[in-house]
Amino acid sequence: MGKRLANIKKRIQLDKLYKVEEAVAILKKNANAKFDETVELHFKLGIDPKQADQMVRGTVLLPYGTGKTVRVSVIAKGEKLIEAKNAGADKIGGPEMIEEIAAGKIDFDVLVVTPDVMKNAAKLGKVLGPKGLMPNPKNGTVTFEIAKTIKELKA
């Protein structure tokens, strides 16, 4: 162990459990590396992942984003196309866009689909599935709330 870590270890009690606020304050006070330091958190939730009602899934919106620009495409019908365009979708289209994607033209990072078009988009599973781009209700990319979803994905 180096001098820097030895000095930090002297300032904290290793056997004490700290509250989150105290731990963050200690981390900030002891940050003295020559690079941006990061923190890794682990949570023991005490759940049984084999039980369907105890699954933990979701997304987290970071306050300042990741720095990457996400290209969002939307496949929908009717007024949902207008809603998608107003929300800032990079590419919008109807069922004709499904044919483009099936032909191999994939120029997006996330595909959002409305449930009424999903039955037509199901045939894209062979193309999008291996790339991890297939829309899925569990990760929120099959929804009627197009504007909200686009804003979250862009953030």
Side-chain angles (χ1 to χ4, degrees), residues 70-74 107-112 132-133 135 141 149 153:
V70 179
R71 297 172 299 166
V72 178
S73 289
V74 176
D107 56 350
F108 53 84
D109 299 316
V110 180
L111 179 63
V112 179
L133 298 175
T141 52
T149 304
L153 291 169

Side-chain angles (χ1 to χ4, degrees), residues 45-80:
L45 300 176
I47 61 168
D48 184 7
K50 293 177 183 143
Q51 301 294 322
D53 62 330
Q54 295 184 21
M55 293 296 286
V56 178
R57 284 193 175 178
T59 56
V60 176
L61 293 178
L62 300 172
Y64 302 107
T66 60
K68 289 183 175 181
T69 55
V70 179
R71 297 172 299 166
V72 178
S73 289
V74 176
I75 299 175
K77 289 182 184 174
E79 72 231 18
K80 292 295 178 182

Side-chain angles (χ1 to χ4, degrees), residues 27-144:
L27 284 169
K28 286 182 177 181
K29 187 173 73 178
N30 291 313
N32 60 3
K34 296 176 185 170
F35 53 86
D36 290 339
E37 297 180 21
T38 60
V39 176
E40 188 174 311
L41 297 175
H42 296 262
F43 296 95
K44 185 169 181 135
L45 300 176
I47 61 168
D48 184 7
K50 293 177 183 143
Q51 301 294 322
D53 62 330
Q54 295 184 21
M55 293 296 286
V56 178
R57 284 193 175 178
T59 56
V60 176
L61 293 178
L62 300 172
Y64 302 107
T66 60
K68 289 183 175 181
T69 55
V70 179
R71 297 172 299 166
V72 178
S73 289
V74 176
I75 299 175
K77 289 182 184 174
E79 72 231 18
K80 292 295 178 182
L81 289 171
I82 298 165
E83 183 181 335
K85 187 173 185 176
N86 292 340
D90 297 306
K91 188 173 181 182
I92 58 171
E96 71 280 351
M97 193 168 147
I98 294 172
E99 301 304 323
E100 282 181 29
I101 296 169
K105 189 177 181 192
I106 300 172
D107 56 350
F108 53 84
D109 299 316
V110 180
L111 179 63
V112 179
V113 179
T114 55
D116 58 340
V117 182
M118 188 59 197
K119 66 179 188 247
N120 298 337
K123 64 182 177 182
L124 297 175
K126 290 181 182 176
V127 177
L128 298 177
K131 297 180 182 189
L133 298 175
M134 188 67 188
N136 185 337
K138 287 185 179 178
N139 61 17
T141 52
V142 178
T143 180
F144 278 117

